[in-house]
Amino acid sequence: MEIPAWGPAVSGVVGGIIATGLVAYWARGLQTHYRGWSRAALRRRHRTTIRAANTLFFAGLLGGLALYPLGGFASNDHRPAFLGFGLASLLPLLALIVIPFLTGRNIREAFVAFAVGQGAPVWATCLPLAGGLVCLAVALVGFLPSGS
């Protein structure tokens, strides 16, 4: 294997290490309580919501990436990857809204519990999800037939 061939893998590992370090640094500044609930109690209270959101994240991501071999897309086509990242963002957000609504719990509290469960501040959790929604819109526009 040539050095340029494994360059993307090395940059991905370095980026992952940097991201993990940043999240660990930010996690030290997380609030210890939210509306009278400790972080542990908040995670227990919204355990089902957090698990569903995490499961739906991976389902959306894998579903979009499965389109490459199943849908016959070229490896340089961005649409399935964008669709996967978009679904991996939309589906957890829907879980974070629908499950607390159906169980009579606070939706904002569920978002905070999800962020605490990820070990990150709320803004650092929701910002990538918002970016994923943009990717979803780009992917859906890319799948539209181009008419003349």
Side-chain angles (χ1 to χ4, degrees):
M1 180 184 309
E2 297 178 13
I3 290 176
W6 51 274
V10 171
S11 69
V13 169
V14 169
I17 290 170
I18 291 170
T20 302
L22 282 172
V23 168
Y25 174 75
W26 289 328
R28 285 185 260 163
L30 286 176
Q31 59 200 40
T32 57
H33 287 77
Y34 178 78
R35 293 188 177 177
W37 294 89
S38 70
R39 286 193 273 186
L42 201 57
R43 281 195 312 262
R44 277 192 310 273
R45 179 174 164 85
H46 293 279
R47 179 183 14 225
T48 304
T49 306
I50 294 170
R51 285 184 183 162
N54 285 332
T55 302
L56 289 171
F57 173 84
F58 286 111
L61 193 61
L62 293 175
L65 294 179
L67 285 177
Y68 281 109
L70 299 176
F73 289 95
S75 62
N76 62 351
D77 192 351
H78 71 279
R79 295 175 300 167
F82 276 26
L83 182 67
F85 183 48
L87 289 175
S89 299
L90 176 66
L91 296 175
L93 288 172
L94 289 175
L96 291 170
I97 294 169
V98 171
I99 294 172
F101 178 76
L102 294 176
T103 58
R105 296 199 171 128
N106 189 321
I107 294 172
R108 244 184 232 169
E109 192 178 274
F111 273 91
V112 172
F114 179 68
V116 166
Q118 307 309 312
V122 175
W123 67 268
T125 305
C126 292
L127 193 61
L129 295 178
L133 295 178
V134 172
C135 287
L136 179 63
V138 169
L140 292 177
V141 167
F143 281 116
L144 290 176
S146 57
S148 28

